[in-house]
Amino acid sequence: MTIDFKGKTAVIFGASRGIGEAIATTIAQCGAKVYVAARSEKSSGQVKEKLESLGYEVEACVADVSDYEQVDAVLCRAIEDTGRLDIVVNNAGIVCLSSFLDATQEEIHGLININLMGANNGCQAAIKHMIDLGIEGKIVNTSSFVGRHALEAGFSHYGMTKAGVIYLTQAAAYAGAPHNINVNAVCPGIIRSAMWESILDSYVESGLDREESWKESLKTFIPLARGDQKAEDIANAVAFLCSEYADHITGQSLNVDGGAAMN
Ligand code: NAP
């Protein structure tokens, strides 16, 4: 099975590092022209440089996903350049570890605006453009295993937004379905990205050893013995969901998490 995205246009939000960078790399490897978006020209520009040095076609864009107009502007730019919009990945996200009772309104609104509204903005704007263009496109949102069920150990409002992304994916899938536009999500487990390093920072601040905490987190959350996943594992699942092999899959949230969630 080979995935061929030659001639396709893809936009990846939250592509400046970690899982998003891996998704952009994999989709570019498969032949698409990729628009990588993040909050600064510097961060998306670094990924553009890296991917161009590998010979891929890439453009760097700036958008704060919590702002519909900024998200739409990136999609419009891709459409103006190429006349197409085939793939949109809504991967941007932030984490906040405050407990349910301690989280401030600012922290909660930040999570909702970026994790949930960001994915909503990408889905709404992308579906409208795909319908206008008559393109049977693919959209993938990044949720989390934490969106499947609440955990006692933190992630409370983060998980709330990621559960919202699972529901959003179903609602958007219904909107896209009459036009053969597929909307799915991936639910990663634990990837040692900048986001997870920030979680480990908080363990270190409370006196724990960084590497021991990482091993402990894997032991606590991930049943599969092979342990740590890589961002590329998520990217491969996203590429599959964006390919013709997923033409009959929509409204699904695929756990790619070493068994952390089995529902
Ligand atoms: P990361 O390394 O912190 O990357 C987050 C990405 O989101 C960056 O590209 C960042 O870009 C972008 N971003 C953040 N806020 C944004 C905003 N307001 N507008 C636009 N872009 C924004 O995190 P990651 O671990 O790769 O996570 C990627 C996604 O996977 C997130 O949705 C996360 O919740 C989810 N996830 C991660 C894990 C894990 O274990 N790492 C597990 C489950 C789910 P800039 O900061 O450059 O703007």
Side-chain angles (χ1 to χ4, degrees):
M1 182 168 101
T2 50
I3 294 178
D4 183 2
F5 291 146
K6 266 188 232 80
K8 292 191 188 284
T9 298
V11 178
I12 320 298
F13 290 101
S16 62
R17 56 177 183 268
I19 295 172
E21 180 180 352
I23 293 170
T25 306
T26 301
I27 289 181
Q29 255 166 14
C30 294
K33 174 160 186 178
V34 172
Y35 288 75
V36 293
R39 279 170 298 183
S40 78
E41 189 86 48
K42 188 169 176 241
S43 61
S44 55
Q46 280 167 356
V47 174
K48 173 180 156 78
E49 266 177 42
K50 249 195 244 178
L51 295 190
E52 276 183 342
S53 74
L54 297 170
Y56 305 138
E57 251 194 303
V58 189
E59 296 296 336
C61 306
V62 176
D64 183 325
V65 295
S66 62
D67 181 337
Y68 183 91
E69 300 305 326
Q70 292 186 37
V71 168
D72 196 45
V74 171
L75 301 183
C76 287
R77 180 178 157 197
I79 294 164
E80 271 163 29
D81 286 356
T82 66
R84 304 195 58 82
L85 183 64
D86 302 279
I87 292 167
V88 174
V89 181
N90 299 306
N91 171 74
I94 58 167
V95 74
C96 163
L97 294 177
S98 298
S99 71
F100 185 77
L101 295 181
D102 290 339
T104 65
Q105 287 291 299
E106 198 185 338
E107 286 172 331
I108 297 166
H109 284 291
L111 287 164
I112 293 171
N113 290 341
I114 296 171
N115 295 0
L116 183 54
M117 285 307 294
N120 170 77
N121 294 338
C123 285
Q124 268 194 316
I127 293 172
K128 288 181 195 178
H129 284 300
M130 287 171 180
I131 292 172
D132 287 348
L133 293 162
I135 287 178
E136 297 181 353
K138 301 282 199 298
I139 300 170
V140 178
N141 301 319
T142 305
S143 177
S144 167
F145 80 98
V146 177
R148 292 292 192 183
H149 50 75
L151 298 175
E152 201 183 349
F155 300 105
S156 50
H157 292 97
Y158 172 82
M160 177 180 88
T161 62
K162 292 300 185 180
V165 171
I166 293 171
Y167 188 99
L168 161 73
T169 300
Q170 297 172 359
Y174 274 119
H179 309 277
N180 288 331
I181 296 165
N182 303 52
V183 187
N184 291 293
V186 283
C187 299
I190 298 183
I191 314 292
R192 200 161 170 178
S193 61
M195 183 179 280
W196 248 95
E197 292 299 344
S198 76
I199 295 167
L200 294 175
D201 286 345
S202 74
Y203 294 154
V204 170
E205 275 161 29
S206 53
L208 298 168
D209 177 78
R210 187 173 211 91
E211 296 312 313
E212 283 308 313
S213 300
W214 172 245
K215 281 189 210 147
E216 199 51 42
S217 301
L218 288 174
K219 217 159 56 178
T220 307
F221 295 121
I222 311 294
L224 263 183
R226 63 177 60 94
D228 59 341
Q229 294 180 274
K230 302 286 177 256
E232 289 69 25
D233 297 315
I234 310 306
N236 290 336
V238 172
F240 162 72
L241 290 172
C242 292
S243 76
E244 70 204 84
Y245 302 109
D247 274 355
H248 295 276
I249 301 175
T250 200
Q252 304 304 307
S253 292
L254 178 62
N255 298 334
V256 188
D257 65 357
M262 298 200 188
N263 57 335

